[in-house]
Amino acid sequence: MMDQIAVHQDNATGRDWPVAIHRTLKDFGVAQVSYVPDAGHSRLIKLSHADADIKTTVLTTEEEGVALAAGAWLGGERAVLLMQSSGVGNCINMLSLMASCRFPLLTLVTMRGEWAEFNPWQIPMGKATQPTLEAMGVTVLRLDNPDDAEEVISAAASLAFDGDQQVAVLISQRMIGRKKWTKETH
C-alpha cells in the first residue's frame, strides 16, 4: 500500500534546539506538556515523554490544551501547550478564558505556511496566526534562530508564569526544516 506523507526533506539546523527548549521548560518548573501530534514538535514531544517529571497529554484538539493549562495552574503546576499554526484557530474562544481569569498560558507554535511551504492549505492560517493571537491579547514572540531558543523560551516563560500573561512563541518554519510529499510503502 502506498500513501503520500509529508516528511522533512532537510534538517534546518545542526543545533538541537528542542533540547534547549526542554531544558528551559524544566528550569521554569513546567510539569505538564500537552499537544496535538506534530512533526515539528516531535523531538520536544519525545523528550517530554522520556522525562519522568513531566506529564504528557495527547489532545484531540488544541483548545483542550488551553483548558489543561488552566487546570494545571489551579492545581499548582505549570503547563505548556505545543501546537502547529493550523491549530491556533481552534483555540480562539478558549483564549478568552485565560485572559479573563488572568491564567498564564505558554504555547509553542510551529509555523506552517511560511518559508518553503509545500502545502497551499497551510498558507492562510500561517498568515493569520500572529494577528489572530494578538487580537485575543496574547503576547507573541518569534523564534527564528536555533541559537536563540533558550533566551526566547526563557523570556516567554517569565512573561507567562511570573506575569500571569498569555504568551505564544512562534517557531519559524525554517527551523523545523523543509518538507515535501513522498510515497510511503507498507
Side-chain angles (χ1 to χ4, degrees):
M1 177 177 183
M2 299 199 31
D3 295 318
Q4 282 196 337
I5 58 168
V7 297
H8 289 282
Q9 180 180 344
D10 59 17
N11 184 5
T13 80
R15 177 150 181 186
D16 199 1
W17 54 268
V19 171
I21 290 174
H22 178 260
R23 182 177 52 248
T24 305
L25 294 174
K26 294 274 294 181
D27 289 346
F28 276 87
V30 170
Q32 296 185 36
V33 173
S34 64
Y35 63 93
V36 172
D38 169 39
H41 280 304
S42 62
R43 178 87 170 109
L44 184 54
I45 290 167
K46 287 177 186 171
L47 290 166
S48 298
H49 275 280
D51 190 324
D53 296 327
I54 294 179
K55 296 175 214 109
T56 57
T57 303
V58 181
L59 308 169
T60 57
T61 184
E62 293 80 3
E63 66 264 30
E64 293 172 345
V66 177
L68 280 172
W73 186 252
L74 289 171
E77 291 189 344
R78 293 178 172 184
V80 66
L81 168 59
L82 309 179
M83 69 175 136
Q84 189 178 90
S85 56
S86 57
V88 169
N90 295 336
C91 296
I92 300 308
N93 194 43
M94 288 301 291
L95 291 173
S96 64
L97 166 73
M98 302 306 271
S100 295
C101 296
R102 293 203 48 173
F103 292 152
L105 175 68
L106 177 57
T107 183
L108 309 182
V109 182
T110 53
M111 292 302 295
R112 294 290 306 270
E114 295 184 332
W115 179 79
E117 180 58 61
F118 72 99
N119 183 346
W121 289 100
Q122 294 287 351
I123 295 170
M125 195 62 216
K127 288 180 181 179
T129 297
Q130 184 165 344
T132 299
L133 288 165
E134 288 172 342
M136 293 307 297
V138 176
T139 300
V140 177
L141 304 177
R142 289 220 30 126
L143 179 54
D144 296 311
N145 181 337
D147 294 330
D148 297 336
E150 187 172 345
E151 181 181 20
V152 172
I153 301 303
S154 177
S158 289
L159 278 168
F161 300 126
D162 298 335
D164 296 332
Q165 298 297 305
Q166 300 77 48
V167 182
V169 176
L170 307 185
I171 300 172
S172 166
Q173 187 168 2
R174 192 168 192 168
M175 283 188 47
I176 61 174
R178 181 185 304 255
K179 293 180 180 181
K180 69 176 186 174
W181 288 115
T182 64
K183 295 206 182 248
E184 181 180 66
T185 58
H186 298 281

